[in-house]
Amino acid sequence: MLTLTINGQLREVDAPEEMPLLWVLRDHLNLVGTKYGCGIAQCGVCTVHVGGKPVRSCQLAVGDVGTRAVVTIEGIGETPNGAKVQEAWMEIAVPQCGYCQAGQIMSATALLDSNPHPDDSDIDAAMAGNLCRCGTYIRIRRAIKNAADKSA
Ligand code: FES
Ligand code: FES
C-alpha cells in the first residue's frame, strides 16, 4: 500500500510501484481531469505538479513520488496562481476541444510559480512541451499574461 499526498489530502493506494502516476490518478483515485495522450512524454496532456514542479505523469512511476505533494487539475484552483490562471482561461475562453487544457493550465501555473512576469520567450519555452491540436497557442499566451497581470 502506498500513501500519497494528492491535492492536500493523504490517499492510500493499492497499486504496483511501477505503475505510472497517471493511471493511479485516473484509475485508482478517479481524478480523471488529467488526460492520456501519447504516453511517451511528448504531448504534455498528463502534466501534474509533483513537489511543486510540472511533471509528465505518464512517465513517473508512482513508487518514485515518495513524500512529494502531488497537485492535479482538480486541486490547482486552490493555489494562488492556479486560481489566477483558471480565471484568465475563462475570461479569454482559451479551450477549443479542451482535451489538452488541463496540462496547459498545470504548466502555465508552474511557470507563474517560478516566474511571476514571463515574457513571450519565457512563455514559449515553458509551454513548448504542451501540444494543442486545436492551435489555441495564441490564447494560451494571452491568458498567461492576463494571469500574470493579476499578480501585479
Ligand atoms: S501522455 Fe504524458 S506526455 Fe503525452
Ligand atoms: S483545445 Fe483541443 S487539443 Fe488543445
Side-chain angles (χ1 to χ4, degrees), residues 2-13 21 24-25 29-31 49 65-72 74-76 78:
L2 296 164
T3 302
L4 301 171
T5 304
I6 313 269
N7 297 330
Q9 293 185 329
L10 287 179
R11 305 290 301 266
E12 297 221 319
V13 179
L21 176 61
V24 172
L25 294 172
L29 298 172
N30 199 31
L31 292 168
H49 294 186
V65 173
T67 57
R68 293 178 290 171
V70 177
V71 179
T72 70
E74 288 86 355
I76 198 67
E78 303 300 316

Side-chain angles (χ1 to χ4, degrees), residues 7-81:
N7 297 330
Q9 293 185 329
L10 287 179
R11 305 290 301 266
E12 297 221 319
V13 179
D14 187 7
E17 294 212 353
E18 64 274 17
M19 178 177 276
L21 176 61
L22 174 62
W23 300 119
V24 172
L25 294 172
R26 289 184 57 82
D27 293 348
H28 286 257
L29 298 172
N30 199 31
L31 292 168
V32 293
T34 306
K35 302 299 189 223
Y36 169 75
C38 65
I40 53 170
Q42 296 296 305
C43 76
V45 76
C46 66
T47 304
V48 300
H49 294 186
V50 178
K53 304 287 184 205
V55 304
R56 305 296 188 242
S57 63
C58 70
Q59 293 296 298
L60 179 65
V62 67
D64 291 335
V65 173
T67 57
R68 293 178 290 171
V70 177
V71 179
T72 70
I73 190 66
E74 288 86 355
I76 198 67
E78 303 300 316
T79 71
N81 280 328

Side-chain angles (χ1 to χ4, degrees), residues 96-98 100-101 132-134 136:
Q96 189 161 319
C97 82
C100 73
Q101 295 291 322
C132 175
R133 292 189 67 173
C134 301
T136 62

